[in-house]
Amino acid sequence: MCNKVKEYWKKFCEEKNIPEDTKYEAWSFGNTKEMANELADLVNKGIKTATTGAYELYEEDEEIPKVGEYNIILDGSGEPICITITRDVYIINYNLISSDHAFREGEGDRSYEYWKKVHDEFFIEEYRKSNKEFNEEAPMVCEVFEKVN
């Protein structure tokens, strides 16, 4: 993990009186630098408070998010933008994701229709890269979070 991220975490821990060895993850959204920048900005502004990941595309040793975990959200260049804490995690079929969750994702006009269009495109491509085929009943990891710094 880069020094900028470690220093960002250390400063946060000092300010919030949290033990520095508290577990956290540092990551960016999406699959392009532009998408990472746009979505990190939405989180930083408090607009984006949820995300969706394909359960089937998690690596074997990769854990799904857990309630209470901290995340350093990075931009497309790997720079720390803000810190979130996970408030809720659930697994649900893609076709059962609610309009409320889509709204919390904060993208576009925040409608379910917009959310579904961009997520269909994203997941079709991500599944293709993994030599898998996306379908509407694919299990998804839905995470709701709160910006804390």
Side-chain angles (χ1 to χ4, degrees):
M1 192 152 317
C2 82
N3 284 339
K4 283 185 186 178
V5 171
K6 289 178 183 174
E7 285 301 312
Y8 193 81
W9 179 249
K10 182 178 179 182
K11 184 178 178 210
F12 171 75
C13 289
E14 288 169 359
E15 289 173 359
K16 303 292 185 184
N17 200 24
I18 295 170
E20 201 176 317
D21 62 353
T22 300
K23 184 178 182 287
Y24 70 94
E25 299 289 332
W27 48 272
S28 58
F29 291 99
N31 56 10
T32 66
K33 183 175 182 175
E34 295 75 23
M35 188 183 295
N37 288 340
E38 177 187 334
L39 298 179
D41 186 55
L42 289 174
V43 173
N44 197 33
K45 290 177 177 172
I47 296 168
K48 180 173 182 61
T49 60
T51 193
T52 304
Y55 183 74
E56 298 169 317
L57 300 183
Y58 274 72
E59 301 292 327
E60 264 185 52
D61 60 346
E62 186 180 7
E63 294 182 22
I64 67 168
K66 290 182 177 59
V67 171
E69 285 183 339
Y70 289 98
N71 299 283
I72 298 177
I73 305 303
L74 308 174
D75 68 11
S77 300
E79 297 289 323
I81 300 300
C82 60
I83 297 176
T84 65
I85 188 168
T86 302
R87 296 295 187 198
D88 191 18
V89 178
Y90 56 96
I91 298 174
I92 189 170
N93 288 2
Y94 182 76
N95 61 347
L96 299 177
I97 291 175
S98 70
S99 58
D100 179 60
H101 185 82
F103 180 83
R104 289 176 189 233
E105 289 221 21
E107 299 167 42
D109 64 5
R110 301 182 86 174
S111 69
Y112 179 80
E113 292 73 22
Y114 180 90
W115 178 89
K116 186 168 181 336
K117 177 186 180 301
V118 297
H119 283 77
D120 283 355
E121 292 167 2
F122 176 79
F123 286 124
I124 287 167
E125 177 63 16
E126 290 301 297
Y127 271 74
R128 187 194 61 73
K129 284 186 206 171
S130 296
N131 295 315
K132 296 182 179 184
E133 191 170 327
F134 174 68
N135 73 76
E136 293 276 320
E137 294 182 359
M140 295 286 149
V141 178
C142 293
E143 178 181 1
V144 177
F145 51 82
E146 176 185 354
K147 179 186 167 194
V148 292
N149 191 60

